[in-house]
Amino acid sequence: MRAVLDKELARFGEHGIDASMALIALDETAESTVIGALNAHAWDVVVIGGGIRKPEALLVFFELVVNLVRQHAPAAVIAFNTSGGDSVEAAKRWV
């Protein structure tokens, strides 16, 4: 999965989009990792991936992430990809 995500991050550069990625461990560091990534830059778009969004067991965490984006990157729109390989397209819908 990491190789797919790294390839997708490289695709952002190919499209002239400055991007970074935060991989979130689902442990006690998750919230601070999300906040740190959101506070690192002024974001135009934040793409929330299916690894956080799709598993029903992570519903509460997904809600937390959406609300952290609203709080820490209020000017950013939120986009959703369908897989690790189409985050560029998700972001481009909004930029």
Side-chain angles (χ1 to χ4, degrees), residues 30-48:
E31 186 172 351
S32 63
T33 300
V34 172
I35 292 170
L38 292 170
N39 289 334
H41 301 282
W43 301 107
D44 295 321
V45 179
V46 174
V47 178
I48 300 174

Side-chain angles (χ1 to χ4, degrees), residues 12-14 20 22 25 27 37-38 40 42 44 51 53 55 84 86-87 92 94-95:
F12 276 101
E14 293 166 7
S20 73
D27 59 19
L38 292 170
D44 295 321
R53 191 180 72 257
D86 70 353
S87 294
K92 285 181 75 174
W94 298 99
V95 292

Side-chain angles (χ1 to χ4, degrees), residues 6-88:
D6 288 342
K7 183 177 178 180
E8 189 66 1
L9 189 57
R11 285 186 61 229
F12 276 101
E14 293 166 7
H15 287 266
I17 300 170
D18 184 25
S20 73
M21 186 179 309
L23 297 178
I24 313 300
L26 298 174
D27 59 19
E28 66 280 347
T29 67
E31 186 172 351
S32 63
T33 300
V34 172
I35 292 170
L38 292 170
N39 289 334
H41 301 282
W43 301 107
D44 295 321
V45 179
V46 174
V47 178
I48 300 174
I52 291 173
R53 191 180 72 257
K54 291 181 181 180
E56 190 174 332
L58 294 181
L59 176 63
V60 173
F61 182 65
F62 171 57
E63 289 175 340
L64 173 67
V65 170
V66 169
N67 285 300
L68 289 172
V69 172
R70 291 180 58 230
Q71 181 180 6
H72 294 276
V77 295
I78 300 172
F80 304 105
N81 62 11
T82 61
S83 72
D86 70 353
S87 294
V88 171

